[in-house]
Amino acid sequence: MRAVVYEGQGRISVREVERPRLAHPADAIVRVTMAGICGTDLHAIAGHFEGMVPGSVIGHEFVGDIVEVGAGVTTLKVGDHVMASDFTACGHCHQCARGDHWQCGERSFFGTGAAFGEPLAGSQAEYVRVPFADSTLHRVPKSCSDEAAILVGDNLATGWAAVERAGVAPGDVVAVIGGGAVGQLTSLSAQAAGAGAVVLIEPSLPRRQFAAAHGAIAASPDDAWAAIEELTDGEGADVVIEAVGAGKVFSGAFDLVRRRGRIVSVGAHPSPEWPIPLANCFTRELTISFAIGDSIRLRPQLLRMISTGILDPTVVIDKRVNFDTIVAAYDDLKAQKNMKTVLVL
Ligand SMILES: [Zn+2]
Ligand SMILES: [Zn+2]
């Protein structure tokens, strides 16, 4: 089968690899019909993830049709059109029962080497093996397009998790730092959750224009405080969500948040350590937390909001490619020429 393959630091190719087979009774094999390309894939290609060996198939966002199920799969069958969470979880342990699937001891993340569990081949391929299919996969409802389903599997679940973790309340002033796909979907999620105002902070003008066209107040990093000051009489934002995944950007959140405000980081941080202004956090009684999307837990509520039109995440998708054009599309994504690209098979 054809797949997008990691060939060593900074290099990918599209080539033939062995088609995956069932390895466990709880597995399913999915024929992929659409796969997302994500900022996380750029980390994988750059060699930031341990255990990412040449020959690994990349990608973790996908929709497709089930072509094989193991004997232990009980809720899905061959022929089902399914969406997937970007990571797997057993569905039975106490973490999963509590809705904390990301903390499941058997979690694996597609296409990212050994960074987040046992290595698992990615989904930018004609076929993908899906462990714990009953919990990892979900039938795509008629009211949800495949493009929306791709986003529920990762980027929208990530943005919504940040808003949920921040406890965004009606009327809150929410600052979102970063205007990539996750930042924009965080902005839409905060608006759907009733935020009074969302200030999206982003250096790129086209990304600021996009945010402004989709309900946010857009500001460059230099203008961010002025915008928040005006909205809050100088108090600071109730919530600041950092959606970039860089220590320096995270530090910027402390200058924008109000006393007793909440900071949530939803960017994937590669730095093992980063200083925080401890005395400032203590005196101002800040709440600092981190969020990773949990599509398995969040997809029922996200799908309801999509079916009623409260949220349309597909606005971020601005490019559709095939196996012949995907390598060049990765370069465009890296150069921020596109916000969200999907591979259509
Ligand atoms: Zn992703
Ligand atoms: Zn579990």
Side-chain angles (χ1 to χ4, degrees):
M1 68 164 186
R2 290 177 92 190
V4 181
V5 175
Y6 173 75
E7 302 286 15
Q9 203 172 23
R11 287 182 295 120
I12 54 167
S13 70
V14 174
R15 64 173 168 88
E16 287 290 322
V17 298
E18 205 174 323
R19 184 176 153 172
R21 296 192 199 110
L22 295 174
H24 185 277
D27 287 356
I29 304 293
V30 172
R31 185 177 66 79
V32 177
T33 55
M34 188 181 283
I37 305 180
C38 181
T40 304
D41 299 324
L42 297 178
H43 282 296
I45 295 168
H48 294 165
F49 295 142
E50 230 177 272
M52 195 72 199
V53 293
S56 304
V57 177
I58 60 177
H60 54 273
E61 303 172 356
F62 63 100
V63 167
D65 300 314
I66 294 182
V67 292
E68 269 182 273
V69 291
V73 175
T74 57
T75 61
L76 299 163
K77 59 183 190 311
V78 170
D80 283 347
H81 188 57
V82 288
M83 55 200 287
S85 164
D86 48 0
F87 64 89
T88 70
C90 80
H92 303 296
C93 69
H94 66 275
Q95 306 280 12
C96 285
R98 209 164 49 195
D100 293 334
H101 302 89
W102 176 258
Q103 304 302 343
C104 174
E106 300 200 64
R107 174 240 299 147
S108 283
F109 196 103
F110 294 95
T112 50
F116 308 108
E118 283 291 306
L120 182 61
S123 60
Q124 288 168 20
E126 289 179 87
Y127 296 89
V128 61
R129 180 177 77 85
V130 182
F132 305 113
D134 282 319
S135 52
T136 307
L137 299 175
H138 185 79
R139 267 187 288 272
V140 181
K142 283 197 170 54
S143 55
C144 180
S145 68
D146 284 3
E147 291 190 351
I150 289 277
L151 294 161
V152 171
D154 180 1
N155 294 172
L156 178 61
T158 302
W160 188 267
V163 166
E164 183 189 68
R165 191 68 37 89
V168 171
D172 275 354
V173 172
V174 178
V176 177
I177 309 177
V182 170
Q184 301 287 352
L185 291 171
T186 302
S187 164
L188 294 184
S189 297
Q191 293 172 54
V198 176
V199 180
L200 187 137
I201 302 152
E202 160 64 48
S204 147
L205 177 62
R207 290 184 169 190
R208 288 204 300 276
Q209 289 169 331
F210 181 94
H214 292 89
I217 295 162
S220 70
D222 288 343
D223 300 335
W225 174 248
I228 292 166
E229 188 179 31
E230 194 186 324
L231 283 163
T232 64
D233 276 338
E235 284 194 22
D238 299 293
V239 167
V240 181
I241 298 173
E242 180 266 314
V244 175
K248 208 172 138 198
V249 180
F250 178 60
S251 291
F254 294 91
D255 300 329
L256 304 176
V257 73
R258 68 162 166 84
R259 291 158 187 268
R260 275 206 183 170
R262 291 96 74 195
I263 294 173
V264 175
S265 175
V266 74
H269 286 280
S271 323
E273 288 182 27
W274 191 262
I276 63 164
L278 205 53
N280 171 307
C281 294
F282 173 68
T283 310
R284 301 173 72 219
E285 294 184 300
L286 302 185
T287 300
I288 301 164
S289 48
F290 295 81
I292 293 176
D294 185 342
S295 175
I296 297 172
R297 174 172 57 85
L298 295 172
R299 65 194 166 202
Q301 68 194 88
L302 295 176
L303 286 169
R304 276 195 291 277
M305 287 189 279
I306 288 167
S307 71
T308 53
I310 286 172
L311 260 178
D312 178 10
T314 63
V315 293
V316 300
I317 296 176
D318 56 357
K319 191 165 190 167
R320 291 139 187 103
V321 297
N322 58 33
F323 276 134
D324 297 328
T325 50
I326 191 169
V327 174
Y330 263 107
D331 294 334
D332 288 347
L333 209 63
K334 203 172 161 191
Q336 294 197 354
K337 286 184 192 163
N338 293 103
M339 190 174 286
K340 184 71 184 178
T341 302
V342 292
L343 167 69
V344 182
L345 278 82

